[in-house]
Amino acid sequence: MTVSAHCDGPCGVYDPASARIAAEAVLSMTKKILALDPDDRSHATANSLSRFITIKEEQAQLAKTELLILWTDYFKPPHLEEYPDLHDMFWKAAKLCSAVKVEVSLEKAEELMETINQVHTIFWATKDREVAYYTAT
């Protein structure tokens, strides 16, 4: 018996939703960090800041991992023919994940969400499906 697949894993295991969920956590934590009073030196505020940063960085890394899996395992040469900017889009998305770890930038966190929306749209188009992009917020 010969078996072949266009993906490295069985069909149906890939979905950009996990990257979106992680990026939403990044956006949420960025907003929480920016909302903290910079003059409040209490232990409670320091603890919250530490937790928000930890979650933001962990989720940014998770988003990056999920995006890289899509880029390297799901998308194949025929997809690049149809979407010639695919490599550039994923490269920029990975760089955004790094930027939101390093910075506390609402602009970068929102840009990451927008880029993942583009990934979502292209991903589902490759499957000839229209799947709504929605966020929890």
Side-chain angles (χ1 to χ4, degrees), residues 15-24 59 62-63 66-67 70 113 116:
D15 191 326
S18 52
R20 176 194 46 83
I21 292 166
E24 281 192 275
Q59 294 300 306
L62 179 58
E66 294 295 330
L67 288 167
L70 286 173
M113 288 294 295
I116 291 174

Side-chain angles (χ1 to χ4, degrees), residues 68-130:
L68 292 176
I69 288 169
L70 286 173
W71 186 17
T72 60
D73 295 356
Y74 174 76
F75 287 101
K76 301 296 181 204
H79 299 131
L80 290 170
E81 290 173 15
E82 190 171 355
Y83 302 98
D85 295 331
L86 203 58
H87 280 318
D88 190 55
M89 180 182 65
F90 272 99
W91 184 80
K92 287 178 181 175
K95 292 295 187 186
L96 276 170
C97 290
S98 296
V100 297
K101 285 194 298 185
V102 173
E103 303 173 29
V104 181
S105 168
L106 186 58
E107 179 181 327
K108 293 269 171 71
E110 289 173 341
E111 186 178 350
L112 178 59
M113 288 294 295
E114 291 168 16
T115 303
I116 291 174
N117 186 3
Q118 293 171 356
V119 169
H120 166 93
T121 301
I122 292 171
F123 174 84
W124 289 111
T126 67
K127 294 179 168 284
D128 294 322
R129 291 182 55 198
E130 285 189 35

